[in-house]
Short mmCIF file of all heavy atoms in Angstrom, two decimals:
data_model
loop_
_atom_site.label_atom_id
_atom_site.label_comp_id
_atom_site.label_asym_id
_atom_site.label_seq_id
_atom_site.Cartn_x
_atom_site.Cartn_y
_atom_site.Cartn_z
N MET A 1 -0.16 -21.36 7.97
CA MET A 1 1.09 -20.59 7.81
C MET A 1 2.19 -21.48 7.25
O MET A 1 2.92 -21.09 6.33
CB MET A 1 1.49 -19.99 9.17
CG MET A 1 2.76 -19.15 9.16
SD MET A 1 4.33 -20.05 9.36
CE MET A 1 4.08 -20.92 10.90
N ILE A 2 2.32 -22.69 7.78
CA ILE A 2 3.36 -23.61 7.31
C ILE A 2 3.13 -23.98 5.84
O ILE A 2 4.07 -23.98 5.05
CB ILE A 2 3.43 -24.88 8.20
CG1 ILE A 2 3.96 -24.49 9.59
CG2 ILE A 2 4.29 -25.95 7.56
CD1 ILE A 2 3.84 -25.60 10.63
N LYS A 3 1.89 -24.25 5.48
CA LYS A 3 1.57 -24.57 4.07
C LYS A 3 1.94 -23.41 3.16
O LYS A 3 2.54 -23.59 2.10
CB LYS A 3 0.08 -24.87 3.91
CG LYS A 3 -0.33 -26.27 4.22
CD LYS A 3 -1.84 -26.37 4.04
CE LYS A 3 -2.25 -27.74 3.65
NZ LYS A 3 -3.73 -27.85 3.57
N MET A 4 1.57 -22.18 3.57
CA MET A 4 1.88 -21.01 2.75
C MET A 4 3.39 -20.81 2.68
O MET A 4 3.94 -20.54 1.61
CB MET A 4 1.21 -19.77 3.34
CG MET A 4 1.52 -18.49 2.56
SD MET A 4 0.95 -18.51 0.85
CE MET A 4 -0.79 -18.23 1.11
N TYR A 5 4.07 -20.95 3.80
CA TYR A 5 5.52 -20.81 3.84
C TYR A 5 6.18 -21.79 2.87
O TYR A 5 7.02 -21.41 2.06
CB TYR A 5 6.03 -21.03 5.27
CG TYR A 5 7.53 -21.03 5.38
CD1 TYR A 5 8.23 -19.85 5.54
CD2 TYR A 5 8.25 -22.22 5.31
CE1 TYR A 5 9.62 -19.85 5.63
CE2 TYR A 5 9.63 -22.23 5.38
CZ TYR A 5 10.31 -21.04 5.55
OH TYR A 5 11.68 -21.05 5.62
N ASP A 6 5.80 -23.07 2.97
CA ASP A 6 6.39 -24.11 2.12
C ASP A 6 6.12 -23.83 0.63
O ASP A 6 7.01 -23.97 -0.21
CB ASP A 6 5.87 -25.49 2.50
CG ASP A 6 6.39 -25.97 3.85
OD1 ASP A 6 7.38 -25.40 4.36
OD2 ASP A 6 5.79 -26.93 4.39
N CYS A 7 4.90 -23.43 0.32
CA CYS A 7 4.54 -23.14 -1.07
C CYS A 7 5.36 -21.97 -1.61
O CYS A 7 5.90 -22.03 -2.72
CB CYS A 7 3.05 -22.83 -1.15
SG CYS A 7 2.49 -22.45 -2.82
N LEU A 8 5.47 -20.91 -0.83
CA LEU A 8 6.24 -19.74 -1.26
C LEU A 8 7.73 -20.07 -1.41
O LEU A 8 8.39 -19.58 -2.34
CB LEU A 8 6.05 -18.58 -0.28
CG LEU A 8 4.66 -17.93 -0.28
CD1 LEU A 8 4.53 -16.98 0.91
CD2 LEU A 8 4.40 -17.21 -1.59
N GLN A 9 8.26 -20.89 -0.51
CA GLN A 9 9.66 -21.26 -0.57
C GLN A 9 10.01 -21.95 -1.89
O GLN A 9 11.10 -21.77 -2.42
CB GLN A 9 10.03 -22.16 0.62
CG GLN A 9 10.13 -21.43 1.94
CD GLN A 9 11.28 -20.46 1.98
OE1 GLN A 9 12.44 -20.85 1.92
NE2 GLN A 9 10.97 -19.18 2.09
N LYS A 10 9.08 -22.74 -2.41
CA LYS A 10 9.30 -23.42 -3.70
C LYS A 10 9.53 -22.43 -4.83
O LYS A 10 10.11 -22.77 -5.85
CB LYS A 10 8.10 -24.31 -4.04
CG LYS A 10 7.96 -25.52 -3.14
CD LYS A 10 6.70 -26.30 -3.46
CE LYS A 10 6.50 -27.41 -2.44
NZ LYS A 10 5.21 -28.08 -2.62
N HIS A 11 9.06 -21.22 -4.65
CA HIS A 11 9.20 -20.16 -5.67
C HIS A 11 10.22 -19.09 -5.25
O HIS A 11 10.31 -18.05 -5.89
CB HIS A 11 7.84 -19.51 -5.93
CG HIS A 11 6.81 -20.48 -6.40
ND1 HIS A 11 6.76 -20.96 -7.69
CD2 HIS A 11 5.81 -21.10 -5.73
CE1 HIS A 11 5.77 -21.81 -7.81
NE2 HIS A 11 5.17 -21.92 -6.63
N GLY A 12 10.99 -19.38 -4.18
CA GLY A 12 12.00 -18.45 -3.73
C GLY A 12 11.44 -17.18 -3.09
O GLY A 12 12.11 -16.14 -3.07
N ILE A 13 10.23 -17.27 -2.56
CA ILE A 13 9.58 -16.11 -1.94
C ILE A 13 9.46 -16.35 -0.44
O ILE A 13 9.06 -17.42 0.00
CB ILE A 13 8.18 -15.89 -2.56
CG1 ILE A 13 8.29 -15.64 -4.06
CG2 ILE A 13 7.46 -14.72 -1.87
CD1 ILE A 13 6.96 -15.67 -4.78
N GLN A 14 9.81 -15.34 0.34
CA GLN A 14 9.74 -15.44 1.79
C GLN A 14 8.35 -15.03 2.30
O GLN A 14 7.82 -14.01 1.88
CB GLN A 14 10.79 -14.53 2.44
CG GLN A 14 10.73 -14.45 3.96
CD GLN A 14 10.99 -15.77 4.68
OE1 GLN A 14 11.80 -16.58 4.23
NE2 GLN A 14 10.30 -16.00 5.77
N LEU A 15 7.79 -15.82 3.18
CA LEU A 15 6.61 -15.40 3.92
C LEU A 15 7.13 -14.46 5.00
O LEU A 15 7.88 -14.87 5.89
CB LEU A 15 5.87 -16.59 4.53
CG LEU A 15 4.63 -16.24 5.37
CD1 LEU A 15 3.60 -15.50 4.52
CD2 LEU A 15 4.02 -17.50 5.98
N ALA A 16 6.79 -13.20 4.89
CA ALA A 16 7.37 -12.17 5.76
C ALA A 16 6.67 -12.04 7.10
O ALA A 16 7.32 -11.83 8.12
CB ALA A 16 7.36 -10.81 5.05
N SER A 17 5.33 -12.15 7.09
CA SER A 17 4.62 -11.88 8.34
C SER A 17 3.28 -12.60 8.40
O SER A 17 2.70 -12.94 7.37
CB SER A 17 4.38 -10.38 8.50
OG SER A 17 3.55 -9.90 7.46
N ASN A 18 2.84 -12.81 9.63
CA ASN A 18 1.49 -13.30 9.90
C ASN A 18 0.93 -12.39 10.99
O ASN A 18 1.52 -12.26 12.06
CB ASN A 18 1.50 -14.75 10.37
CG ASN A 18 0.10 -15.34 10.47
OD1 ASN A 18 -0.89 -14.73 10.08
ND2 ASN A 18 0.02 -16.56 11.00
N GLN A 19 -0.16 -11.74 10.68
CA GLN A 19 -0.80 -10.82 11.61
C GLN A 19 -1.88 -11.58 12.38
O GLN A 19 -2.79 -12.14 11.78
CB GLN A 19 -1.41 -9.66 10.82
CG GLN A 19 -2.10 -8.64 11.68
CD GLN A 19 -2.61 -7.50 10.84
OE1 GLN A 19 -1.85 -6.85 10.14
NE2 GLN A 19 -3.90 -7.26 10.89
N VAL A 20 -1.76 -11.60 13.71
CA VAL A 20 -2.72 -12.30 14.56
C VAL A 20 -3.07 -11.43 15.75
O VAL A 20 -2.30 -10.56 16.14
CB VAL A 20 -2.16 -13.66 15.06
CG1 VAL A 20 -1.89 -14.61 13.91
CG2 VAL A 20 -0.91 -13.47 15.90
N GLU A 21 -4.23 -11.69 16.34
CA GLU A 21 -4.59 -10.98 17.57
C GLU A 21 -3.75 -11.55 18.70
O GLU A 21 -3.74 -12.75 18.94
CB GLU A 21 -6.08 -11.15 17.88
CG GLU A 21 -6.49 -10.33 19.09
CD GLU A 21 -7.95 -10.52 19.48
OE1 GLU A 21 -8.67 -11.28 18.82
OE2 GLU A 21 -8.36 -9.88 20.47
N TYR A 22 -3.03 -10.65 19.40
CA TYR A 22 -2.17 -11.11 20.50
C TYR A 22 -2.07 -10.01 21.55
O TYR A 22 -1.77 -8.86 21.23
CB TYR A 22 -0.77 -11.47 19.99
CG TYR A 22 0.12 -11.99 21.09
CD1 TYR A 22 -0.11 -13.24 21.66
CD2 TYR A 22 1.15 -11.22 21.59
CE1 TYR A 22 0.68 -13.71 22.69
CE2 TYR A 22 1.96 -11.69 22.62
CZ TYR A 22 1.72 -12.93 23.17
OH TYR A 22 2.49 -13.39 24.19
N SER A 23 -2.33 -10.40 22.78
CA SER A 23 -2.22 -9.49 23.92
C SER A 23 -2.19 -10.33 25.19
O SER A 23 -2.30 -11.55 25.14
CB SER A 23 -3.41 -8.53 23.96
OG SER A 23 -4.59 -9.22 24.36
N LEU A 24 -2.09 -9.64 26.32
CA LEU A 24 -2.19 -10.34 27.60
C LEU A 24 -3.55 -11.01 27.78
O LEU A 24 -3.67 -11.94 28.58
CB LEU A 24 -1.95 -9.37 28.77
CG LEU A 24 -0.50 -9.15 29.15
CD1 LEU A 24 -0.33 -7.88 29.96
CD2 LEU A 24 0.03 -10.36 29.91
N LEU A 25 -4.55 -10.58 27.04
CA LEU A 25 -5.87 -11.20 27.13
C LEU A 25 -6.09 -12.27 26.06
O LEU A 25 -7.06 -13.01 26.12
CB LEU A 25 -6.99 -10.15 27.00
CG LEU A 25 -7.08 -9.14 28.13
CD1 LEU A 25 -8.31 -8.26 27.94
CD2 LEU A 25 -7.11 -9.83 29.48
N ARG A 26 -5.21 -12.34 25.08
CA ARG A 26 -5.32 -13.36 24.03
C ARG A 26 -3.93 -13.90 23.73
O ARG A 26 -3.26 -13.47 22.81
CB ARG A 26 -5.94 -12.80 22.77
CG ARG A 26 -6.06 -13.87 21.70
CD ARG A 26 -7.20 -13.59 20.75
NE ARG A 26 -7.30 -14.44 19.60
CZ ARG A 26 -7.34 -15.76 19.55
NH1 ARG A 26 -7.24 -16.46 20.65
NH2 ARG A 26 -7.46 -16.41 18.44
N ARG A 27 -3.52 -14.86 24.56
CA ARG A 27 -2.18 -15.42 24.47
C ARG A 27 -2.11 -16.71 23.66
O ARG A 27 -1.03 -17.29 23.51
CB ARG A 27 -1.65 -15.66 25.89
CG ARG A 27 -1.45 -14.35 26.64
CD ARG A 27 -0.78 -14.54 28.00
NE ARG A 27 0.40 -15.34 27.88
CZ ARG A 27 0.67 -16.40 28.64
NH1 ARG A 27 -0.16 -16.78 29.58
NH2 ARG A 27 1.78 -17.09 28.46
N SER A 28 -3.23 -17.16 23.11
CA SER A 28 -3.23 -18.45 22.42
C SER A 28 -2.21 -18.55 21.29
O SER A 28 -1.67 -19.64 21.08
CB SER A 28 -4.63 -18.82 21.94
OG SER A 28 -5.13 -17.85 21.06
N PRO A 29 -1.89 -17.48 20.54
CA PRO A 29 -0.84 -17.65 19.53
C PRO A 29 0.51 -18.06 20.14
O PRO A 29 1.31 -18.73 19.50
CB PRO A 29 -0.76 -16.28 18.86
CG PRO A 29 -2.13 -15.71 19.02
CD PRO A 29 -2.55 -16.18 20.40
N GLU A 30 0.74 -17.66 21.37
CA GLU A 30 1.97 -18.05 22.06
C GLU A 30 1.83 -19.44 22.67
O GLU A 30 2.68 -20.31 22.45
CB GLU A 30 2.27 -17.04 23.17
CG GLU A 30 3.43 -17.44 24.05
CD GLU A 30 3.49 -16.64 25.34
OE1 GLU A 30 2.68 -15.72 25.54
OE2 GLU A 30 4.35 -16.96 26.16
N THR A 31 0.77 -19.66 23.44
CA THR A 31 0.64 -20.91 24.18
C THR A 31 0.42 -22.12 23.26
O THR A 31 0.74 -23.23 23.64
CB THR A 31 -0.50 -20.82 25.22
OG1 THR A 31 -1.73 -20.51 24.55
CG2 THR A 31 -0.20 -19.75 26.26
N SER A 32 -0.09 -21.88 22.05
CA SER A 32 -0.28 -22.97 21.09
C SER A 32 1.00 -23.32 20.35
O SER A 32 1.05 -24.32 19.64
CB SER A 32 -1.35 -22.57 20.07
OG SER A 32 -0.84 -21.55 19.21
#
C-alpha cells in the first residue's frame, strides 16, 4: 500500500482505498 501510495503521489494521484478482510474474527489489519 505504501509503495502504491508513494508511486501515485509522484503523479498527483490519490490512493483512495484499500479493501481488506476485517471483522471481529479477523482483526490483523488493525493489530498489525
